[in-house]
């Protein structure tokens, strides 16, 4: 299937290609100076903090969970609307994800009051997801977590450069923030991720666990800084390689402009879809200004209408996507009994994400809008 308008697109610049070629020509391919430079650039970009670049956003979440000490017998609260990696990371540690509800009514982020209700004696952490690039209420969650003596891990995989209500970058309010550089994400290198923490000790634990908990790395030994090592924990190979780090450094320079372009597209979409019957917008205008726009979801009246709407758009050659509530997956059905996270299920059932990327043209957006106008009546006619 070749779409007239894909869900998203990746544009690689000549500078990006040169950066990777430079790296290949250098002959050093595993974690080394470019990874260190990528970490320094990301730390700078995100307002400080200790940055540990890793092989994926999932690896970042796993390391964050391990670093805060999550283990068997523990529970961690995870929103029922997210990509499955958030819950998988908890499971990797032998802990139980406890699904919580979202705010609802066009806000697909986790609900602080519902999180508070679910904190029990075994709760060790809350994993807050900034869904579609819109910041969750992490200031309130941080206060709650500090009061209860538990950790706040931010899953900012979809939200690099989003701003929270207090104007801070998403991923810097909790004890640790996790980012993804997967192909569809705003800052993409193919596969990659980042753990960010103001806590030096937490970051050091992630850095160690990233590479088998070895006390020295290949790059250190290459430079003669060490000639032996000890293993001090059960670590992983979650290193990022130099080609991806080089690509990340190159692309980071354009991130702000790309996000501003995404926001412009979203403003356009919202202006033109504001009064379409049967299609509702998510979040508020104020939240749009703070979002970093990973995706542009709209709401249909119900799941059936949503599915028909998607089919109608597909007939126009327009690709869309949806996130199922985790309760819909066999593996996670037991994580919340039926009727426990009704707003999450309702929002997941009703939403659909329309095409969005930084270089999307006005003409392409127009094509999507016209298809939506055409498909919308089909969604509401019984
Ligand atoms: C993409 C994503 C992840 C995982 O990131 P990968 O780099 O693909 O491993 C985790 N959480 C959320 C919410 C995501 O969207």
């Amino acid at each position: 299937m070749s779409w007239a308008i894909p869900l998203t697109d990746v544009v690689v610049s000549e500078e990006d290609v040169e950066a990777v070629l430079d790296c290949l020509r250098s002959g050093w391919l595993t974690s080394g100076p470019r990874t260190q430079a990528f970490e320094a650039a990301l730390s700078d970009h995100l307002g400080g903090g200790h940055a540990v670049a890793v092989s994926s956003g999932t690896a970042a979440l796993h390391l964050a969970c391990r670093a805060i000490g999550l283990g068997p017998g523990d529970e961690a609260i995870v929103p029922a609307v997210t990509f499955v990696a958030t819950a998988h990371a908890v499971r990797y540690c032998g802990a139980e994800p406890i699904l919580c509800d979202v705010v609802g009514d066009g806000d697909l982020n986790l609900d602080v009051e519902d999180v508070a209700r679910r904190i029990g004696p075994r709760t060790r952490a809350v994993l807050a997801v900034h869904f579609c690039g819109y910041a969750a209420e992490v200031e309130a969650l941080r206060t709650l977590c500090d009061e209860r003596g538990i950790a706040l891990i931010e899953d900012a995989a979809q939200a690099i450069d989003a701003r929270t209500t207090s104007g801070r970058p998403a991923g810097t309010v909790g004890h640790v923030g996790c980012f993804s550089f997967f192909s569809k994400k705003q800052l993409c290198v193919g596969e990659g991720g980042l753990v960010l923490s103001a806590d030096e000790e937490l970051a050091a634990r992630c850095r160690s666990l990233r590479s088998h908990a070895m006390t020295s790395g290949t790059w250190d030994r290459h430079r003669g800084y060490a000639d032996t090592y000890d293993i001090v924990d059960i670590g992983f190979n979650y290193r990022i390689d130099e080609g991806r780090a080089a690509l990340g450094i190159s692309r980071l320079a354009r991130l702000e402009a790309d996000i501003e372009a995404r926001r412009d597209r979203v403003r356009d979409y919202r202006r033109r879809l504001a009064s379409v019957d049967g299609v509702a917008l998510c979040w508020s205008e104020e939240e749009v200004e703070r979002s970093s726009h990973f995706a542009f979801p709209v709401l249909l009246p119900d799941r059936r209408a949503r599915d028909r709407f998607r089919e109608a758009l597909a007939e126009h050659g327009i690709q869309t996507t949806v996130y199922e509530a985790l309760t819909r997956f066999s593996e996670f059905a037991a994580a919340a009994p039926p009727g426990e996270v009704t707003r999450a299920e309702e929002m997941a059932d009703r939403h659909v994400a329309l095409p969005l990327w930084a270089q999307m043209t006005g003409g392409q957006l127009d094509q999507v809008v016209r298809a939506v106008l055409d498909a919308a009546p089909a969604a509401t006619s019984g």
Side-chain angles (χ1 to χ4, degrees), residues 11 58 69 136 164 224 240 248 295-296 312 314 352:
V11 175
T58 307
T164 67
I240 192 166
F296 178 63
V352 51

Side-chain angles (χ1 to χ4, degrees), residues 56-377:
S56 71
T58 307
L61 286 164
H62 185 191
L63 291 186
C65 287
R66 272 289 305 266
I68 62 111
L70 193 68
D74 294 335
E75 293 176 354
I77 296 171
V78 172
V81 177
T82 182
F83 178 61
V84 68
T86 325
H88 272 160
V90 173
R91 282 281 185 81
Y92 296 162
C93 298
E96 273 310 309
I98 302 296
L99 300 186
C100 73
D101 217 341
V102 303
V103 176
D105 198 20
D107 185 336
L108 284 72
N109 278 324
L110 77 179
D111 175 37
V112 180
E113 277 175 33
D114 195 62
V115 171
R117 276 206 308 120
R118 289 172 203 274
I119 295 175
R122 301 203 298 151
T123 310
R124 183 119 193 192
V126 174
L127 279 78
V129 178
H130 302 287
F131 197 63
C132 294
Y134 294 79
E137 289 294 333
V138 277
E139 279 86 0
L141 284 169
R142 176 68 197 246
T143 304
L144 175 66
C145 288
D146 285 346
E147 277 167 11
R148 306 293 183 94
I150 63 178
L152 176 61
I153 298 173
E154 286 180 72
D155 180 345
Q158 302 186 354
I160 189 165
D161 273 11
R163 298 285 148 176
T164 67
T165 44
S166 69
R168 289 174 63 184
T172 67
V173 174
H175 298 89
V176 50
C178 301
F179 299 82
S180 166
F181 309 130
F182 174 63
S183 276
K184 293 203 305 185
K185 306 285 158 73
Q186 296 94 320
L187 177 59
C188 76
V189 304
E191 302 285 351
L194 177 78
V195 185
L196 188 73
S197 181
D199 182 331
E200 193 171 356
E201 218 175 289
L202 252 175
R205 232 171 288 149
C206 293
R207 191 172 291 282
S208 165
L209 290 168
R210 168 178 68 177
S211 192
H212 297 290
M214 292 162 80
T215 52
S216 76
T218 315
W219 180 243
D220 298 325
R221 292 194 299 282
H222 177 72
R223 289 176 301 162
Y225 290 0
D227 55 14
T228 181
Y229 59 81
D230 190 14
I231 304 292
V232 294
D233 197 344
I234 301 169
F236 310 92
N237 176 1
Y238 281 165
R239 295 182 302 267
I240 192 166
D241 62 71
E242 289 286 273
R244 289 183 176 83
L247 187 55
I249 294 168
S250 176
R251 296 182 69 85
L252 182 58
R254 294 195 308 277
L255 181 64
E256 278 186 40
D258 278 1
I259 288 172
E260 197 45 46
R262 284 170 179 263
R263 187 174 296 119
D264 268 345
R265 299 291 91 83
V266 168
R267 289 187 191 121
D268 258 10
Y269 263 139
R270 292 176 71 98
R271 219 175 10 248
R272 300 186 59 186
L273 299 180
S275 53
V276 178
D277 270 351
V279 177
L281 302 176
C282 297
W283 284 288
S284 66
E285 302 304 325
E286 191 265 326
E287 286 161 313
V288 165
E289 296 310 306
R290 290 193 282 106
S291 170
S292 62
H293 303 286
F294 169 64
F296 178 63
V298 294
L299 297 177
L300 277 288
D302 56 38
R303 189 181 175 99
R304 255 191 60 188
R306 191 273 309 274
D307 291 345
R308 269 184 292 161
F309 179 72
R310 288 192 75 197
E311 281 168 30
L313 289 181
E315 280 165 23
H316 286 270
I318 292 167
Q319 188 186 14
T320 60
T321 196
V322 301
Y323 284 83
E324 293 289 353
L326 294 185
T327 48
R328 298 258 183 213
F329 296 129
S330 318
E331 183 63 30
F332 289 95
E340 272 285 308
V341 288
T342 49
R343 280 168 286 153
E345 285 166 349
E346 186 206 328
M347 287 298 107
D349 283 352
R350 289 178 55 197
H351 87 287
V352 51
L354 299 179
L356 179 67
W357 70 98
Q359 294 79 12
M360 186 180 192
T361 65
Q364 288 169 320
L365 188 132
D366 192 56
Q367 218 175 315
V368 178
V369 168
R370 278 187 282 117
V372 168
L373 296 178
D374 187 56

